[in-house]
Amino acid sequence: MEAKIYLAAAGLVLLLGLALWGRGLYVLRRLEIMVRRAADGTWRESTWDESRLSKLEAALARVLTTGALSRRRLDEEQNKIKRLVSDISHQTKTPLANILLYTELLGEKPLTDDCRELTQEIGRQGEKLRFLVDALVKTSRLESGIVQVIPKMGPVRPMLDELAAAWRPAAQAKGLELTLQAGPDFDACFDPKWTAEAIGNLLDNAVKYTGSGGSISITAQPFSLFCRITVTDTGVGLSENERAQVFERFYRAPAAAGGQGVGLGLYLARQIVSMQGGYLRIQSQPGKGTAVSVFLPRGPVSKN
């Protein structure tokens, strides 16, 4: 008798388990359909009752629908930014070029000393404005996805040789020594064009903020996961508080406030390097120079 009762109870438990299992599969299937449809904006609630499942479906559908709507709005805003950046680039390039050209032509005319000085100042401010527009356009294109940074495996030394050759004349014109110290070539995963842009910004800062008679060095060293490229100068240096803010957009240290630049170089460099799976580090002390290191991955980095 007890055996029959045990078997009957076991059968009921089994039936209940199968029913719950079937109910669970049904619930999961409904939630899967709902999530998929809510994600693409086609979900429509078909039943309204006070069951827990219906309440869960309604709440989850609202969350997913709101997320899908936000994503569409974000895509629309990015498209607007792309069009705006394109318009800015097109509309400002020709007027700025004309201003600089006319300023140069005016400087060739016989002018008084005061007029010549004013003409030269117009040229300097025009160049500064062109640099600002170019930097803003590059930054906006990167952030909005107009320009893609595409890292790939390749040798590092050719890029460094080109950078040293390109920046040595500017350094020598200011009385600075620029050296490249790199051992045997090695590979890293990077976008040559945009990485050269980032390191070029570091070299630009080094030339600007190092006094005559100083030195600038470019060094490269491979590690197991990353390679390190460091631009070191003997310039004005940065305090601890300044180092914490130096990668922010438009930030300029007090010692650099009166010089050239708009505070986008280091920000743009960090954006470019981080988009490749790398990172930047800075070491600096007031009056003792600055060293900014770019760490590039030695292999492809997963974006997931």
Side-chain angles (χ1 to χ4, degrees), residues 202 217 231 267 277 300 302:
L202 305 184
S217 68
V231 175
Y267 172 81
S302 174

Side-chain angles (χ1 to χ4, degrees), residues 208-210 235-239 242 251-260 286-287:
K208 285 178 182 176
Y209 307 125
T210 302
V236 295
L238 299 166
S239 67
E242 291 167 347
Y251 176 78
R252 304 197 69 199
Q260 297 179 350

Side-chain angles (χ1 to χ4, degrees), residues 9-255:
L12 288 173
V13 170
L14 179 59
L15 289 174
L16 179 59
L18 290 173
L20 291 174
W21 178 70
R23 177 63 175 172
L25 290 179
Y26 168 75
V27 170
L28 289 176
R29 178 59 178 166
R30 286 191 62 180
L31 290 177
E32 180 186 357
I33 294 173
M34 181 191 63
V35 169
R36 186 171 64 251
R37 291 181 177 176
D40 60 23
T42 62
W43 170 259
R44 296 295 181 273
E45 196 171 17
S46 57
T47 59
W48 294 269
D49 55 48
E50 293 300 319
S51 67
R52 289 185 176 181
L53 177 59
S54 181
K55 291 180 180 179
L56 176 61
E57 288 178 346
L60 188 54
R62 285 195 296 271
V63 172
L64 292 175
T65 302
T66 301
L69 181 60
S70 298
R71 184 182 61 191
R72 289 195 296 270
R73 288 178 176 173
L74 179 60
D75 290 340
E76 292 174 358
E77 291 299 322
Q78 287 182 336
N79 289 331
K80 289 180 181 178
I81 292 174
K82 291 178 182 179
R83 291 193 295 270
L84 178 61
V85 169
S86 179
D87 290 342
I88 291 174
S89 177
H90 178 72
Q91 297 295 335
T92 59
K93 186 176 297 185
T94 300
L96 276 174
N98 288 337
I99 290 173
L100 293 172
L101 174 61
Y102 294 146
T103 302
E104 184 178 352
L105 293 175
L106 185 60
E108 296 175 357
K109 301 293 183 181
L111 301 172
T112 63
D113 291 342
D114 290 342
C115 290
R116 187 169 300 280
E117 183 178 346
L118 292 174
T119 301
Q120 291 172 350
E121 183 61 26
I122 293 172
R124 285 192 292 268
Q125 294 301 321
E127 289 289 354
K128 185 176 181 180
L129 182 57
R130 181 164 64 179
F131 178 83
L132 171 60
V133 171
D134 288 344
L136 286 173
V137 168
K138 290 176 184 177
T139 303
S140 298
R141 284 176 172 172
L142 282 171
E143 292 177 340
S144 62
I146 296 177
V147 174
Q148 296 292 327
V149 175
I150 304 176
K152 58 183 179 181
M153 294 299 297
V156 173
R157 184 59 186 262
M159 175 186 67
L160 299 181
D161 287 335
E162 291 180 5
L163 282 167
W167 284 94
R168 190 167 283 116
Q172 292 175 344
K174 198 175 175 181
L176 306 174
E177 180 185 10
L178 192 154
T179 59
L180 170 61
Q181 303 169 8
D185 197 13
F186 52 86
D187 287 353
C189 190
F190 65 105
D191 184 313
K193 175 184 175 182
W194 283 104
T195 305
E197 176 81 23
I199 299 175
N201 287 343
L202 305 184
L203 289 167
D204 182 54
N205 282 347
V207 172
K208 285 178 182 176
Y209 307 125
T210 302
S212 179
S215 64
I216 300 169
S217 68
I218 308 170
T219 59
Q221 183 179 5
F223 296 95
S224 57
L225 297 179
F226 290 86
C227 76
R228 180 178 65 194
I229 301 170
T230 303
V231 175
T232 305
D233 64 57
T234 57
V236 295
L238 299 166
S239 67
E240 183 178 353
N241 290 336
E242 291 167 347
R243 292 196 303 272
Q245 305 176 69
V246 74
F247 291 108
E248 296 178 4
R249 190 199 304 250
F250 296 117
Y251 176 78
R252 304 197 69 199

